[in-house]
Amino acid sequence: MSCIAFTNGEHLLFMMLLCSSFIYMWAFISYINVEKSANTILYNLYVLMIYLVLTGGVEGTGPIWIFIVSPVTFSIRGLKRGTFDIVLFLIAVILAFYFADALDIYNYEPNQYTYRVLFSFIIVAMLSAFYEYTREKYNDKIIALSQKNEVLATIDPLTNLPNRRYTMKKLEEFKLALSRDQTPFVIMLCDVDNFKKINDVYGHDIGDEALTHLANTLKQNIPDKALVSRWGGEEFLIAIPNAVKEKGVEVANKIHASLKNNSICELPESVNLTISIGVIQCLEARSIDLDIKHADELLYTAKEQGKNRTCS
């Protein structure tokens, strides 16, 4: 269009379009700062549109181009900031029409042309704003749903503890800290004793209550920075960062004592909820899977030795 303006002898329009083209090229080249590039493109568009309204463009068709401003503005600036910019742009367009006539820069005929362009622009701007409003609402719902799904993917719904997927990521972080900074950490694998009997005799609802009770007990008796998760079924895994095996055994004994002193209301007094625990200190040379396997072996050793105890 700049070249067409040049061949038509409209040198001022040619220069404006040429300068705008260079500004757009610079904005696209410097795309690393997206917000800066987008604002440069937008405000350059505003200046060009005001110029076209003020001068009439080619045979009075300049004002027609202002209809592209609304969708571009809302796309770049969003609903609130975009509305503010559109209002300022509309005021600038009205002033441009006024000065075009007052300064005899361009005479728009018929007189109704100016009003129709302005009213049409307002309608397009309102439709663009409504579209942006619905788009933002839809995006908010998508983000909320995504966040909810992310929580569901990492949290056990019964106990509200992290699940195995989340725990494996945290164990990898602990292992990295061990390799990089020699920060020790302990893994404790816990399993409810005689859990099948609880389910068979008292029902699965009481079994679920037992797991919830155990989850709360574990959370209350571990250090602040420790992680407790539901590993699967009636198994729970505790990871204690910046700790050695002796600390793990100490925490395990605390858990045993707490379970003994806090029974489940739905179970008879003669039935105690007990767990067996395997405690290991993780080694840098050993993989996480081998660490867990070793803790599992100690857990079953505790089972074989009579249950309700800790092996390390």
Side-chain angles (χ1 to χ4, degrees), residues 149-271:
N149 288 337
E150 185 176 351
V151 171
L152 292 175
T154 58
I155 298 296
D156 172 58
L158 176 63
T159 61
N160 286 323
L161 293 178
N163 61 16
R164 183 188 291 238
R165 177 182 178 185
Y166 176 85
T167 304
M168 283 301 295
K169 291 182 179 180
K170 295 299 293 185
L171 291 177
E172 290 172 0
E173 294 177 11
F174 292 159
K175 182 68 79 170
L176 179 61
L178 175 60
S179 302
R180 184 182 56 201
D181 305 321
Q182 300 302 306
T183 304
F185 72 100
V186 170
I187 286 180
M188 302 168 57
L189 202 57
C190 316
D191 185 84
V192 179
D193 297 327
N194 304 315
F195 185 69
K196 185 177 184 302
K197 181 179 179 181
I198 294 175
N199 273 334
D200 292 343
V201 175
Y202 303 104
H204 289 280
D205 288 342
I206 302 302
D208 289 346
E209 179 65 26
L211 293 177
T212 303
H213 174 75
L214 175 58
N216 293 332
T217 302
L218 295 177
K219 286 190 291 186
Q220 292 167 6
N221 289 279
I222 61 173
D224 290 339
K225 294 184 179 181
L227 168 72
V228 57
S229 65
R230 188 177 182 189
W231 193 243
E234 64 271 24
E235 279 192 337
F236 293 79
L237 185 143
I238 299 171
I240 308 176
N242 198 21
V244 294
K245 184 171 62 176
E246 289 73 18
K247 178 64 175 178
V249 173
E250 177 187 332
V251 172
N253 291 333
K254 187 178 178 183
I255 292 170
H256 285 305
S258 181
L259 285 173
K260 182 178 180 181
N261 296 327
N262 297 280
S263 60
I264 301 175
C265 298
E266 288 78 1
L267 290 176
E269 293 183 4
S270 59
V271 180

Side-chain angles (χ1 to χ4, degrees), residues 93-192:
V93 169
I94 294 173
L95 292 175
F97 274 124
Y98 170 77
F99 284 114
D101 181 64
L103 301 178
D104 201 26
I105 299 175
Y106 190 86
N107 184 25
Y108 288 101
E109 294 290 346
N111 294 330
Q112 292 80 7
Y113 175 82
T114 300
Y115 301 110
R116 290 178 179 178
V117 168
L118 290 174
F119 286 133
S120 298
F121 175 80
I122 292 172
I123 292 173
V124 172
M126 291 175 65
L127 291 173
S128 298
F130 178 73
Y131 169 78
E132 183 63 21
Y133 171 78
T134 56
R135 188 189 68 82
E136 288 186 1
K137 287 294 183 182
Y138 180 75
N139 283 348
D140 290 342
K141 290 182 179 179
I142 293 296
I143 292 172
L145 183 61
S146 176
Q147 292 173 341
K148 182 179 179 180
N149 288 337
E150 185 176 351
V151 171
L152 292 175
T154 58
I155 298 296
D156 172 58
L158 176 63
T159 61
N160 286 323
L161 293 178
N163 61 16
R164 183 188 291 238
R165 177 182 178 185
Y166 176 85
T167 304
M168 283 301 295
K169 291 182 179 180
K170 295 299 293 185
L171 291 177
E172 290 172 0
E173 294 177 11
F174 292 159
K175 182 68 79 170
L176 179 61
L178 175 60
S179 302
R180 184 182 56 201
D181 305 321
Q182 300 302 306
T183 304
F185 72 100
V186 170
I187 286 180
M188 302 168 57
L189 202 57
C190 316
D191 185 84
V192 179

